Amino acid sequence: MVVNVASEPPAPRAAATHRVSAEIDLDALRGNVRALRERANGAELMAVVKSDAYGHGAVPCARAARRAGATWLGTATPEEALALRAAGDRGRLMCWLWTPGGPWREVIEADVDVSASALWALEEITAAARACDRTARVHLKIDTGLGRNGCQPADWPDLVAAARAAEKEGTVRVVGVWSHLACADEPGHPSNAAQLAVFEEALAVVARAGLDPEVRHIANSPATLTLPEAHYDLVRTGISVYGLSPSPEVGLPQDFGLRPVMTLRAALASVKRVPAGHGVSYGHHYTTAGETTLALVPAGYADGIPRHASGVGPVLVAGKWRTVAGRVAMDQFVVDLGGDTAEAGDEAILFGPGDRGEPTAEDWARAVGTISYEIVTRIGARVPRVHLNADT
Ligand SMILES: *Cc1c(COP(=O)(O)O)cnc(C)c1O
């Protein structure tokens, strides 16, 4: 569910209107894109909006990113790219995660750039381009060391030669050569320089074959922030567009002028006094130490709150950080307010930018042993995204 709100001042009192909602500050997103463009120092910027813009809502985030100067958008799947076209996006757009028999023709006809890591993909692309009498825009992907998708260097000359032949035939235009880094979130890791060296060799093969791509690209967010020699013509930024740092090693968002875009809040569904020795939630893994106040936060693992947050997840309620008491259930969890009071309907902030004293997505990631990427991306479909500041 996507809720669009043009502009709304912050609520004076902490009373939430939704059971749970993810507020998406598009003004912060635009500021992040501008900060990243400055960092990219002349390279173009692709805002990566895969997986519903890392849980932030693909269409409004894509629009805001374009407005702030993202000349490219990127998605993983062709379906994600087609959804952006259906929503009216018309700029440069690339998708890269393909399987045999994918919707090549629809994507080519929608003017979306595609990626090829292997001959089978190039063959399906040329067949689709012939069928619709178009020239497909292709980015050839080299595996410079990540070991995921991408053409192995040993097979690269064959892929490049086949692409060159298809270009002569008019079915494709090789507009990009690209790769992806394995350890950019660990600045100084030796594999970063090693991958760039392999990339240079792959580019030399491309030049010798007579191809002249518009854009060479290998940098994700961490490389955009910390590895200028990886910027080339285009940087592909995902997590940093949403104001989160790729890793604590890279730094804090504010070190780079980034501001977290998502605030996850809930309205307390119950507040009540209970006696000492009261068990809390499934399995009774928490028992009240004395007479106390329990508050019920109506968000659970179906909303993307990790069950691993049981007993460890942080949440701001009644002005203080609390910890999830007992297990996270499908729809709800409990916090122990101790001697403090609150009322049903009062706001609980699970995470946000952090400047109102609330935890951040990074705090949640640390608490549950994951990365902030997973915290925001897993927020469930039943949590409404409330987009603020869409048009300022
Ligand atoms: C997700 C993704 C990115 C963006 O990575 P971030 O670390 O979020 O900036 C860039 N390139 C590719 C190929 C990706 O899959």
Side-chain angles (χ1 to χ4, degrees):
M1 175 177 166
V2 172
V3 179
N4 280 297
V5 177
S7 185
E8 193 178 76
R13 179 158 189 269
T17 50
H18 294 273
R19 170 185 68 95
V20 56
S21 65
E23 179 184 292
I24 308 299
D25 181 356
L26 294 172
D27 197 38
L29 187 147
R30 288 189 299 269
N32 296 337
V33 168
R34 285 192 289 266
L36 290 165
R37 281 178 61 207
E38 219 160 283
R39 198 98 198 160
N41 199 24
E44 288 188 67
L45 185 134
M46 174 190 291
V48 178
V49 293
K50 63 190 177 188
S51 195
D52 201 25
Y54 292 44
H56 293 67
V59 169
C61 290
R63 212 168 270 154
R66 289 280 195 211
R67 193 161 299 209
T71 46
W72 288 74
L73 296 178
T75 68
T77 71
E79 290 78 13
E80 291 171 326
L82 290 170
L84 289 170
R85 285 293 191 245
D89 185 79
R90 294 284 167 263
R92 289 304 285 276
L93 167 58
M94 173 186 179
C95 60
W96 49 75
L97 192 56
W98 288 88
T99 47
W104 299 105
R105 181 173 172 168
E106 293 91 314
V107 164
I108 293 165
E109 287 182 323
D111 229 8
V112 175
D113 290 24
V114 299
S115 174
S117 293
L119 285 173
W120 68 259
L122 198 60
E123 282 158 14
E124 294 201 359
I125 292 166
T126 51
R130 267 184 229 118
C132 62
D133 199 21
R134 301 277 287 250
T135 301
R137 280 199 301 266
V138 178
H139 299 241
L140 298 178
K141 186 173 194 188
I142 172 85
D143 182 358
T144 53
L146 176 60
R148 242 165 47 174
N149 221 337
C151 178
Q152 279 298 296
D155 302 325
W156 183 246
D158 284 350
L159 182 65
V160 168
R164 178 67 177 134
E167 226 184 45
K168 283 185 172 149
E169 181 197 46
T171 45
V172 313
R173 159 105 178 92
V174 176
V175 293
V177 173
W178 74 298
S179 190
H180 197 33
L181 293 165
C183 303
D185 58 344
E186 296 175 55
H189 193 290
S191 80
N192 294 326
Q195 285 196 255
L196 292 183
V198 176
F199 195 50
E200 282 295 326
E201 286 166 27
L203 290 170
V205 171
V206 166
R208 279 200 297 274
L211 293 169
D212 182 24
E214 291 169 36
V215 285
R216 303 157 298 161
H217 50 110
I218 190 169
N220 52 4
S221 289
T224 302
L225 297 173
T226 67
L227 197 63
E229 59 270 41
H231 289 173
Y232 289 94
D233 308 305
L234 174 66
V235 298
R236 304 187 308 270
T237 50
I239 197 74
S240 52
V241 166
Y242 310 103
L244 300 173
S245 171
S247 68
E249 292 79 3
V250 167
L252 295 168
Q254 55 266 35
D255 298 338
F256 304 102
L258 302 174
R259 178 171 173 79
V261 169
M262 182 187 293
T263 297
L264 187 67
R265 36 173 116 248
L268 297 179
S270 157
V271 179
K272 63 185 182 184
R273 294 290 289 172
V274 298
H278 204 297
V280 174
S281 194
Y282 294 132
H284 279 177
H285 291 279
Y286 183 87
T287 305
T288 56
E291 187 186 343
T292 190
T293 301
L294 296 181
L296 182 64
V297 179
Y301 58 78
D303 301 298
I305 311 306
R307 191 164 176 274
H308 278 112
S310 300
V312 294
V315 54
L316 182 72
V317 180
K320 287 186 201 154
W321 278 38
R322 321 285 173 171
T323 302
V324 175
R327 281 197 178 143
V328 173
M330 187 181 293
D331 315 303
Q332 43 197 299
F333 66 84
V334 174
V335 293
D336 186 342
L337 300 185
D340 298 331
T341 54
E343 286 174 36
D346 281 0
E347 180 180 72
I349 306 186
L350 286 82
F351 60 81
D355 49 11
R356 289 158 298 187
E358 75 279 19
T360 61
E362 182 58 39
D363 292 320
W364 273 81
R366 201 176 312 112
V368 307
T370 185
I371 55 177
S372 61
Y373 293 69
E374 189 181 0
I375 296 297
V376 291
T377 303
R378 67 185 299 159
I379 297 305
R382 92 180 165 175
V383 177
R385 271 62 170 180
V386 180
H387 292 94
L388 303 183
N389 308 314
D391 278 312
T392 46

